[in-house]
Amino acid sequence: MFNKVLIANRGEIALRVLRACQELGIKTVAIYSQADEDSLHVQFADEAYCIGEAPAAKSYLNIPKVMSIAVMAKVDAIHPGYGFLAENPDFARICEEHHIKFIGPSAEIIEKMGDKATAKKTMDALGVPVIKGTDGTVSDIELIKQWAKLTGFPVIIKATAGGGGKGMRVVRSESELESQLEMARTEAQAAFSNDGVYLEKYLENPRHIEFQVLADEHGNVVHIGERECSVQRRHQKLLEEAPSIVMTDETREKMGSVVLKAIRKIGYTGAGTIELLCDGDHNFYFMEMNTRIQVEHTVSEMISGIDLVKEQIKVAAGHPLSFTQDDIKLTGHAIECRINAENPDLDFRPSPGTIEGYIAPGGPGVRIDSHAYPGYTIPPFYDSLVGKLVVWGANRQEAIERTKRALAEYGITGIDTTIGFHQWLLEQPDFVDGNISTNFLTEHPYQPPVLPTTGPTP
Ligand code: MV4
């Protein structure tokens, strides 16, 4: 096993990784920016080093600084968490060159999956269903027009270097095609220095469902079922759950084995996620692969009893998986609410600042992953995640009731949070009935309560 791991991240995920390392008897090295001196991951780590000013480009994204701390502290491995350097193939390659294990797949795989058109082609060739689309990236407008007319509108233009919704354009008629293509290209070039785009048939009200996978370096691959991540706003997920209400045991087994075959064939190692879109007829199509641990990995942990971060670290150290697909039993239902420092009543405006009072909920089935505490200041420089409320219930109904109970116990003063939004969401009949799609929040705009909800006042 590794002796010492550097955690190249901050916030709740730095704490999550630190906890996994501690349980595995691994020494931890934290890095932090000048804005994160008071962060819990700094206090909890065995060693902690300030690596620069608050802006991420000067700290958490600064590869030479991260690497010099890693070399100086003599770590065996680096865990990148999510965001920042987690899916940067150059960083993974530099780690490899320094004989420091990057806890994730190889640089080649990160690169391949980072290019969405290539990833789709790869999955298609391995038998994973994909949405009807152009054969890779395209530029000839006449050929694109021909393809779109043959396929039928609406179609969607996607940036190959994109993902998470950036550089996407929905086109509903031929007359808009050329101008939208131009705009998508310009946007992609500005955002990713890569103007490659591909097109697909547009699915109107899809669900976003993703499979969690885990692969060791000995050819063993398992999936830990799916997550339903359809409730999101401007491509930011707000609530995730597992399992998905539309997944049957039969389809999970079928899709699961298709996904596992592909993962094995590409030689993937570590934890990963296959993102799928699900249409109204419950057909599943490959969308993207995420080569990192995700924010919402917790709901899969709650229904499987598997510590995904510990397993991710163990397979990175070369250990074989200690269980097979048949050993994995999914039990009950889990819901994760992302508690952000944002004001949902003011269009989710960021609300950084000092947390004055803080009472975390508890009781049966409740888990909180958070770096927050009374007196902690949420800096304005990074994402606004204050914590994740993750709740398990024997079934979806109990999980919903328990989440409502836990949200009512959660007391945070001094900043605005999304707690009230989640309380509203869990009362929506369509949510309760499982009638959700990626358009849920455009079809059900959030309504602030007429009377302010009074939580506990810590
Ligand atoms: C789509 C789609 C409908 N049809 N592709 C958004 C993020 C990017 N990864 C792909 N996305 C979509 N691709 C086709 N062919 C709808 C979306 C989409 C979406 C997907 C998942 C979660 C939220 C979403 C919100 C808007 C659009």
Side-chain angles (χ1 to χ4, degrees), residues 98-116:
H98 285 77
H99 306 290
I100 291 172
K101 181 74 190 187
F102 174 83
I103 301 179
S106 66
E108 293 74 63
I109 288 184
I110 297 173
E111 201 148 50
K112 201 175 199 179
M113 294 300 143
D115 186 274
K116 307 304 169 190

Side-chain angles (χ1 to χ4, degrees), residues 158 165 168 200-203 208 232 277 287-288 438:
K158 294 183 176 183
M168 264 178 27
E200 281 178 352
K201 176 78 187 161
Y202 181 65
L203 306 181
H208 175 154
Q232 50 80 44
L277 281 186
M287 186 165 59
E288 287 174 20
T438 55

Side-chain angles (χ1 to χ4, degrees), residues 235-276:
H235 304 291
Q236 293 295 320
K237 294 168 186 160
L238 283 161
L239 178 146
E240 304 95 340
E241 53 185 311
S244 166
I245 194 166
V246 292
M247 187 66 78
T248 61
D249 289 347
E250 199 187 337
T251 308
R252 181 178 301 113
E253 232 165 80
K254 196 193 99 211
M255 281 307 300
S257 66
V258 169
V259 159
L260 290 192
K261 207 182 90 194
I263 291 294
R264 202 175 284 123
K265 275 268 168 62
I266 63 176
Y268 192 88
T269 55
T273 303
I274 302 281
E275 291 189 355
L276 306 164

Side-chain angles (χ1 to χ4, degrees), residues 368-417:
I368 297 281
D369 277 22
S370 173
H371 58 299
Y373 57 87
Y376 174 69
T377 300
I378 310 276
F381 305 101
Y382 316 106
D383 71 16
S384 61
L385 191 62
V386 181
K388 306 185 302 205
L389 167 63
V390 195
V391 175
W392 182 90
N395 51 50
R396 190 168 186 265
Q397 193 187 342
E398 186 181 49
I400 289 175
E401 291 309 320
R402 205 170 250 174
T403 305
K404 287 202 260 187
R405 188 268 294 166
L407 285 166
E409 286 180 17
Y410 217 157
I412 303 178
T413 58
I415 57 164
D416 299 317
T417 74

